[in-house]
Amino acid sequence: MKALRSFDKVLVTGATGFIGSQLIRRLARTGCRLILLSRTRSGQRIEGLGEDARWIQCDLTDEKAVQRIFQKEKPTTVFHLAGTRGRGDERGASVACAELNFVATTKLLAAAMRAGVRRIVMTGSAEEYGTGELPFNESMPLNPISPYGISKAMATNFALELHKDEGCPVVIVRPFTVYGPGQPRSMFVAEAIDCAVRNLDFQMSAGEQKRDLVFIDDTVRGLLAAGWVPQIEGSVINLGRGRSYRLREVAEMIWYLAGARSRLLIGARPASPEEACDTCADRKLARKLLDWRPTVSMSMGLRVTINLAREELAASKALCRAM
Protein backbone atom coordinates (compact mmCIF):
# COMPACT_ATOMS: atom_id res chain seq x y z
CA MET A 1 0.00 0.00 0.00
CA LYS A 2 1.23 3.46 -0.89
CA ALA A 3 2.40 5.45 2.13
CA LEU A 4 1.62 9.01 3.04
CA ARG A 5 4.19 11.30 1.43
CA SER A 6 7.30 11.85 3.50
CA PHE A 7 6.87 15.63 3.45
CA ASP A 8 3.36 15.45 4.92
CA LYS A 9 2.84 16.89 8.36
CA VAL A 10 0.33 14.64 10.13
CA LEU A 11 -1.59 15.55 13.28
CA VAL A 12 -3.12 12.73 15.33
CA THR A 13 -5.56 13.06 18.20
CA GLY A 14 -6.04 10.13 20.55
CA ALA A 15 -2.44 9.19 19.82
CA THR A 16 -2.03 7.29 23.11
CA GLY A 17 -5.09 5.08 22.58
CA PHE A 18 -5.11 1.47 21.46
CA ILE A 19 -5.63 2.24 17.77
CA GLY A 20 -3.79 5.57 17.87
CA SER A 21 -0.58 4.18 19.34
CA GLN A 22 -0.39 1.55 16.58
CA LEU A 23 -1.26 4.07 13.87
CA ILE A 24 1.47 6.53 14.84
CA ARG A 25 4.12 3.80 14.79
CA ARG A 26 3.12 3.00 11.21
CA LEU A 27 3.06 6.68 10.27
CA ALA A 28 6.53 7.17 11.75
CA ARG A 29 7.91 4.53 9.42
CA THR A 30 6.68 6.51 6.38
CA GLY A 31 8.83 9.52 7.28
CA CYS A 32 5.90 11.79 8.09
CA ARG A 33 6.39 14.65 10.50
CA LEU A 34 4.10 13.81 13.39
CA ILE A 35 2.24 16.20 15.69
CA LEU A 36 0.67 14.08 18.40
CA LEU A 37 -2.00 15.49 20.69
CA SER A 38 -2.60 13.93 24.08
CA ARG A 39 -4.43 15.01 27.21
CA THR A 40 -1.53 13.62 29.28
CA ARG A 41 2.21 13.14 28.84
CA SER A 42 1.97 9.35 28.88
CA GLY A 43 2.42 9.09 25.12
CA GLN A 44 5.95 10.35 25.30
CA ARG A 45 6.94 6.87 26.49
CA ILE A 46 5.87 5.29 23.17
CA GLU A 47 9.01 4.08 21.43
CA GLY A 48 9.96 3.92 17.77
CA LEU A 49 8.58 7.28 16.64
CA GLY A 50 11.84 8.99 15.68
CA GLU A 51 13.06 12.48 16.38
CA ASP A 52 10.51 14.20 14.12
CA ALA A 53 7.55 13.24 16.30
CA ARG A 54 6.40 16.01 18.64
CA TRP A 55 3.96 15.60 21.51
CA ILE A 56 1.66 18.45 22.45
CA GLN A 57 -0.36 18.21 25.62
CA CYS A 58 -3.83 19.46 24.80
CA ASP A 59 -7.40 19.17 26.07
CA LEU A 60 -9.53 18.99 22.92
CA THR A 61 -12.43 20.64 24.73
CA ASP A 62 -10.26 23.80 24.95
CA GLU A 63 -11.35 25.43 21.69
CA LYS A 64 -8.79 28.24 21.73
CA ALA A 65 -5.90 25.86 22.42
CA VAL A 66 -6.96 23.67 19.49
CA GLN A 67 -7.19 26.70 17.20
CA ARG A 68 -3.70 27.87 18.21
CA ILE A 69 -2.19 24.44 17.52
CA PHE A 70 -3.73 24.21 14.06
CA GLN A 71 -2.74 27.73 13.09
CA LYS A 72 0.82 27.21 14.26
CA GLU A 73 1.39 23.68 12.95
CA LYS A 74 -0.73 23.78 9.75
CA PRO A 75 -0.83 19.99 9.30
CA THR A 76 -1.52 18.49 5.90
CA THR A 77 -3.46 15.48 7.20
CA VAL A 78 -5.39 14.89 10.42
CA PHE A 79 -6.36 11.60 12.02
CA HIS A 80 -8.99 12.38 14.64
CA LEU A 81 -9.18 9.29 16.84
CA ALA A 82 -9.80 10.86 20.25
CA GLY A 83 -13.02 9.90 21.97
CA THR A 84 -14.59 8.74 25.21
CA ARG A 85 -17.26 6.34 26.37
CA GLY A 86 -17.77 8.45 29.48
CA ARG A 87 -17.39 5.54 31.87
CA GLY A 88 -16.63 6.75 35.37
CA ASP A 89 -17.29 10.40 34.53
CA GLU A 90 -19.18 11.95 37.43
CA ARG A 91 -21.28 14.05 35.02
CA GLY A 92 -22.64 10.92 33.35
CA ALA A 93 -21.76 9.18 30.11
CA SER A 94 -24.17 11.21 27.97
CA VAL A 95 -22.64 14.54 28.97
CA ALA A 96 -19.04 13.32 28.70
CA CYS A 97 -19.60 11.72 25.28
CA ALA A 98 -21.42 14.75 23.90
CA GLU A 99 -18.69 17.12 25.08
CA LEU A 100 -15.71 15.31 23.54
CA ASN A 101 -17.11 13.11 20.79
CA PHE A 102 -19.46 15.73 19.36
CA VAL A 103 -18.84 19.32 20.52
CA ALA A 104 -15.03 19.13 20.58
CA THR A 105 -15.09 17.39 17.19
CA THR A 106 -17.12 20.20 15.61
CA LYS A 107 -14.58 22.75 16.85
CA LEU A 108 -11.65 20.65 15.66
CA LEU A 109 -13.13 20.32 12.17
CA ALA A 110 -13.58 24.07 11.95
CA ALA A 111 -10.01 24.71 13.11
CA ALA A 112 -8.65 22.18 10.61
CA MET A 113 -10.51 23.81 7.73
CA ARG A 114 -9.21 27.27 8.65
CA ALA A 115 -5.67 25.86 8.73
CA GLY A 116 -6.03 24.46 5.19
CA VAL A 117 -5.86 20.75 6.06
CA ARG A 118 -6.21 18.63 2.90
CA ARG A 119 -7.65 15.47 4.51
CA ILE A 120 -9.30 14.73 7.85
CA VAL A 121 -9.80 11.07 8.74
CA MET A 122 -12.32 10.81 11.54
CA THR A 123 -13.21 7.59 13.34
CA GLY A 124 -16.85 6.75 13.80
CA SER A 125 -18.24 3.58 15.36
CA ALA A 126 -20.36 0.54 14.58
CA GLU A 127 -22.48 1.68 17.53
CA GLU A 128 -23.86 4.45 15.32
CA TYR A 129 -26.01 1.81 13.59
CA GLY A 130 -27.55 0.64 16.85
CA THR A 131 -30.39 -1.80 16.21
CA GLY A 132 -30.20 -1.64 12.41
CA GLU A 133 -30.56 -4.68 10.16
CA LEU A 134 -27.40 -6.71 9.47
CA PRO A 135 -25.07 -6.32 7.73
CA PHE A 136 -24.62 -2.63 8.45
CA ASN A 137 -24.39 -0.63 5.24
CA GLU A 138 -23.01 2.92 5.26
CA SER A 139 -26.13 4.32 3.59
CA MET A 140 -28.65 2.91 6.09
CA PRO A 141 -30.34 5.16 8.69
CA LEU A 142 -28.55 5.42 12.02
CA ASN A 143 -30.30 4.21 15.16
CA PRO A 144 -27.80 4.38 18.05
CA ILE A 145 -28.88 3.48 21.58
CA SER A 146 -25.73 4.07 23.67
CA PRO A 147 -24.43 7.54 24.71
CA TYR A 148 -21.23 6.75 22.79
CA GLY A 149 -23.07 5.72 19.64
CA ILE A 150 -25.39 8.73 19.82
CA SER A 151 -22.51 11.19 20.17
CA LYS A 152 -20.58 9.54 17.34
CA ALA A 153 -23.65 9.65 15.06
CA MET A 154 -24.10 13.35 15.84
CA ALA A 155 -20.46 13.99 14.93
CA THR A 156 -20.83 12.03 11.69
CA ASN A 157 -23.93 13.96 10.65
CA PHE A 158 -22.26 17.28 11.42
CA ALA A 159 -19.12 16.36 9.47
CA LEU A 160 -21.12 15.27 6.43
CA GLU A 161 -23.14 18.50 6.47
CA LEU A 162 -19.91 20.50 6.78
CA HIS A 163 -18.52 18.65 3.78
CA LYS A 164 -21.69 19.30 1.79
CA ASP A 165 -22.00 22.99 2.71
CA GLU A 166 -18.37 24.10 3.01
CA GLY A 167 -16.27 21.39 1.40
CA CYS A 168 -14.78 20.00 4.60
CA PRO A 169 -12.25 17.36 3.40
CA VAL A 170 -13.41 14.72 5.86
CA VAL A 171 -13.52 10.93 5.51
CA ILE A 172 -15.31 9.00 8.25
CA VAL A 173 -14.05 5.51 8.99
CA ARG A 174 -16.12 3.17 11.14
CA PRO A 175 -13.92 0.44 12.66
CA PHE A 176 -15.97 -2.40 14.07
CA THR A 177 -14.75 -4.39 17.10
CA VAL A 178 -10.98 -3.91 16.97
CA TYR A 179 -8.75 -6.29 18.93
CA GLY A 180 -5.10 -7.21 19.14
CA PRO A 181 -1.90 -6.76 21.18
CA GLY A 182 -1.88 -3.71 23.41
CA GLN A 183 -5.64 -3.48 23.85
CA PRO A 184 -6.77 -2.28 27.31
CA ARG A 185 -7.77 -5.12 29.61
CA SER A 186 -11.21 -3.51 30.07
CA MET A 187 -12.18 -4.71 26.58
CA PHE A 188 -13.74 -8.15 26.17
CA VAL A 189 -11.10 -9.93 24.06
CA ALA A 190 -8.21 -8.47 26.04
CA GLU A 191 -9.77 -9.41 29.39
CA ALA A 192 -10.56 -12.94 28.22
CA ILE A 193 -7.02 -13.46 26.91
CA ASP A 194 -5.50 -12.08 30.10
CA CYS A 195 -7.51 -14.56 32.18
CA ALA A 196 -6.72 -17.42 29.80
CA VAL A 197 -2.93 -16.97 29.89
CA ARG A 198 -2.96 -16.47 33.65
CA ASN A 199 -5.27 -19.47 34.13
CA LEU A 200 -7.83 -17.36 35.96
CA ASP A 201 -11.58 -17.95 35.82
CA PHE A 202 -13.32 -15.62 33.39
CA GLN A 203 -16.83 -14.40 34.16
CA MET A 204 -18.83 -13.17 31.18
CA SER A 205 -22.40 -12.67 30.06
CA ALA A 206 -24.33 -15.34 28.19
CA GLY A 207 -22.39 -14.09 25.16
CA GLU A 208 -25.23 -14.35 22.65
CA GLN A 209 -24.49 -10.91 21.19
CA LYS A 210 -22.61 -11.03 17.88
CA ARG A 211 -19.54 -8.96 17.05
CA ASP A 212 -17.63 -8.32 13.84
CA LEU A 213 -14.02 -8.44 15.05
CA VAL A 214 -11.19 -6.91 13.03
CA PHE A 215 -7.49 -7.18 13.88
CA ILE A 216 -5.59 -4.01 14.78
CA ASP A 217 -3.11 -4.29 11.87
CA ASP A 218 -5.96 -4.48 9.36
CA THR A 219 -7.64 -1.49 11.01
CA VAL A 220 -4.49 0.63 10.78
CA ARG A 221 -4.09 -0.25 7.09
CA GLY A 222 -7.61 0.95 6.46
CA LEU A 223 -7.04 4.22 8.29
CA LEU A 224 -3.84 4.88 6.36
CA ALA A 225 -5.60 4.25 3.07
CA ALA A 226 -8.35 6.67 4.08
CA GLY A 227 -5.62 9.28 4.59
CA TRP A 228 -4.24 9.24 1.07
CA VAL A 229 -6.75 7.79 -1.44
CA PRO A 230 -7.86 10.78 -3.56
CA GLN A 231 -11.39 12.06 -4.10
CA ILE A 232 -13.16 10.19 -1.32
CA GLU A 233 -14.01 13.21 0.85
CA GLY A 234 -17.51 13.04 2.28
CA SER A 235 -17.46 9.23 2.42
CA VAL A 236 -18.35 7.00 5.36
CA ILE A 237 -16.50 3.67 5.23
CA ASN A 238 -16.90 0.54 7.35
CA LEU A 239 -13.84 -1.42 8.45
CA GLY A 240 -14.93 -4.90 9.43
CA ARG A 241 -14.52 -8.51 8.39
CA GLY A 242 -18.10 -8.87 7.22
CA ARG A 243 -18.61 -11.84 9.53
CA SER A 244 -19.87 -11.94 13.10
CA TYR A 245 -19.13 -14.28 15.99
CA ARG A 246 -21.11 -14.69 19.20
CA LEU A 247 -18.99 -13.54 22.12
CA ARG A 248 -19.31 -16.95 23.73
CA GLU A 249 -17.77 -18.43 20.55
CA VAL A 250 -14.91 -15.93 20.75
CA ALA A 251 -14.27 -16.80 24.39
CA GLU A 252 -14.35 -20.53 23.65
CA MET A 253 -11.88 -20.01 20.79
CA ILE A 254 -9.55 -18.08 23.10
CA TRP A 255 -9.74 -20.86 25.73
CA TYR A 256 -8.95 -23.49 23.12
CA LEU A 257 -6.05 -21.60 21.48
CA ALA A 258 -4.53 -20.67 24.85
CA GLY A 259 -4.93 -24.16 26.29
CA ALA A 260 -6.43 -22.51 29.37
CA ARG A 261 -7.01 -24.76 32.40
CA SER A 262 -9.24 -22.31 34.28
CA ARG A 263 -13.02 -22.05 34.03
CA LEU A 264 -14.90 -20.10 31.37
CA LEU A 265 -17.97 -18.96 33.30
CA ILE A 266 -20.48 -18.15 30.57
CA GLY A 267 -23.58 -16.38 31.93
CA ALA A 268 -21.96 -15.48 35.25
CA ARG A 269 -22.60 -11.78 34.81
CA PRO A 270 -25.28 -9.74 33.00
CA ALA A 271 -24.72 -7.98 29.69
CA SER A 272 -24.89 -4.19 29.73
CA PRO A 273 -27.76 -2.60 27.73
CA GLU A 274 -25.37 -1.18 25.13
CA GLU A 275 -24.05 -4.70 24.41
CA ALA A 276 -27.44 -5.88 23.21
CA CYS A 277 -26.98 -4.97 19.54
CA ASP A 278 -25.36 -7.38 17.11
CA THR A 279 -22.86 -6.00 14.59
CA CYS A 280 -21.69 -7.07 11.16
CA ALA A 281 -20.09 -4.83 8.53
CA ASP A 282 -20.96 -4.58 4.88
CA ARG A 283 -17.42 -4.03 3.60
CA LYS A 284 -18.05 -3.59 -0.11
CA LEU A 285 -17.42 0.17 0.03
CA ALA A 286 -14.04 -0.30 1.74
CA ARG A 287 -13.03 -2.67 -1.01
CA LYS A 288 -14.25 -0.26 -3.71
CA LEU A 289 -12.86 3.03 -2.34
CA LEU A 290 -9.80 1.93 -0.36
CA ASP A 291 -8.93 -1.38 -2.02
CA TRP A 292 -9.06 -2.66 1.55
CA ARG A 293 -9.92 -6.10 2.82
CA PRO A 294 -9.03 -7.82 6.11
CA THR A 295 -6.01 -10.11 5.80
CA VAL A 296 -5.70 -11.52 9.33
CA SER A 297 -8.06 -14.39 10.12
CA MET A 298 -9.83 -14.56 13.46
CA SER A 299 -7.84 -17.58 14.62
CA MET A 300 -4.52 -16.04 13.55
CA GLY A 301 -5.29 -12.69 15.18
CA LEU A 302 -6.25 -14.34 18.45
CA ARG A 303 -3.21 -16.63 18.32
CA VAL A 304 -0.83 -13.68 17.82
CA THR A 305 -2.48 -11.74 20.64
CA ILE A 306 -2.39 -14.72 23.00
CA ASN A 307 1.27 -15.44 22.28
CA LEU A 308 2.30 -11.84 22.93
CA ALA A 309 0.23 -11.74 26.13
CA ARG A 310 1.98 -14.92 27.28
CA GLU A 311 5.41 -13.42 26.47
CA GLU A 312 4.58 -10.26 28.41
CA LEU A 313 3.42 -12.32 31.39
CA ALA A 314 6.64 -14.35 31.36
CA ALA A 315 8.75 -11.17 31.15
CA SER A 316 6.83 -9.65 34.04
CA LYS A 317 7.37 -12.74 36.19
CA ALA A 318 11.08 -12.78 35.33
CA LEU A 319 11.39 -9.12 36.32
CA CYS A 320 9.66 -9.79 39.63
CA ARG A 321 12.03 -12.67 40.39
CA ALA A 322 15.04 -10.50 39.56
CA MET A 323 13.99 -7.74 41.96
Side-chain angles (χ1 to χ4, degrees), residues 1 174-176 212-226 229 237-242 281-296:
M1 185 180 72
R174 286 184 181 138
F176 276 57
D212 186 333
L213 285 92
V214 57
F215 193 62
I216 181 63
D217 291 2
D218 283 331
T219 304
V220 169
R221 283 194 306 104
L223 287 168
L224 289 172
V229 170
I237 306 170
N238 291 334
L239 292 183
R241 292 196 58 81
D282 182 326
R283 57 185 179 90
K284 289 192 291 290
L285 195 60
R287 185 167 60 248
K288 176 183 177 181
L289 296 183
L290 305 180
D291 191 25
W292 179 91
R293 56 185 56 79
T295 61
V296 181

Side-chain angles (χ1 to χ4, degrees), residues 53-72:
R54 292 198 302 108
W55 288 93
I56 299 177
Q57 193 170 1
C58 175
D59 183 344
L60 293 181
T61 64
D62 185 340
E63 181 179 357
K64 291 184 178 179
V66 172
Q67 290 176 350
R68 286 195 299 270
I69 290 169
F70 273 91
Q71 285 303 314
K72 179 181 179 182

Side-chain angles (χ1 to χ4, degrees), residues 83-95:
T84 183
R85 291 185 173 274
R87 293 168 179 162
D89 193 298
E90 61 184 13
R91 299 169 300 170
S94 294
V95 173

Side-chain angles (χ1 to χ4, degrees), residues 117-155:
V117 170
R118 78 163 177 88
R119 175 64 57 84
I120 305 163
V121 179
M122 186 174 111
T123 52
S125 169
E127 289 188 37
E128 295 178 60
Y129 295 111
T131 56
E133 184 178 350
L134 301 180
F136 293 152
N137 180 280
E138 293 89 343
S139 62
M140 67 191 301
L142 302 180
N143 188 30
I145 62 172
S146 67
Y148 180 73
I150 292 168
S151 63
K152 283 290 191 177
M154 291 169 61

Side-chain angles (χ1 to χ4, degrees), residues 138-213:
E138 293 89 343
S139 62
M140 67 191 301
L142 302 180
N143 188 30
I145 62 172
S146 67
Y148 180 73
I150 292 168
S151 63
K152 283 290 191 177
M154 291 169 61
T156 291
N157 290 333
F158 178 88
L160 294 178
E161 285 298 317
L162 197 61
H163 168 74
K164 179 181 176 182
D165 295 341
E166 302 182 34
C168 180
V170 67
V171 176
I172 298 157
V173 175
R174 286 184 181 138
F176 276 57
T177 303
V178 185
Y179 73 100
Q183 187 176 36
R185 191 181 179 277
S186 59
M187 304 303 290
F188 177 83
V189 171
E191 183 182 1
I193 288 177
D194 183 68
C195 288
V197 299
R198 293 175 184 272
N199 280 306
L200 301 175
D201 292 347
F202 178 56
Q203 297 185 358
M204 60 174 288
S205 70
E208 291 300 319
Q209 59 272 46
K210 296 178 181 178
R211 291 293 179 268
D212 186 333
L213 285 92

Side-chain angles (χ1 to χ4, degrees), residues 188 191-192 201-209 246-252 254-255 263-271 275:
F188 177 83
E191 183 182 1
D201 292 347
F202 178 56
Q203 297 185 358
M204 60 174 288
S205 70
E208 291 300 319
Q209 59 272 46
R246 297 187 188 280
L247 290 186
R248 66 184 300 153
E249 295 174 330
V250 176
E252 288 167 351
I254 289 169
W255 243 242
R263 294 178 299 171
L264 183 56
L265 302 175
I266 297 174
R269 65 187 188 191
E275 290 180 344

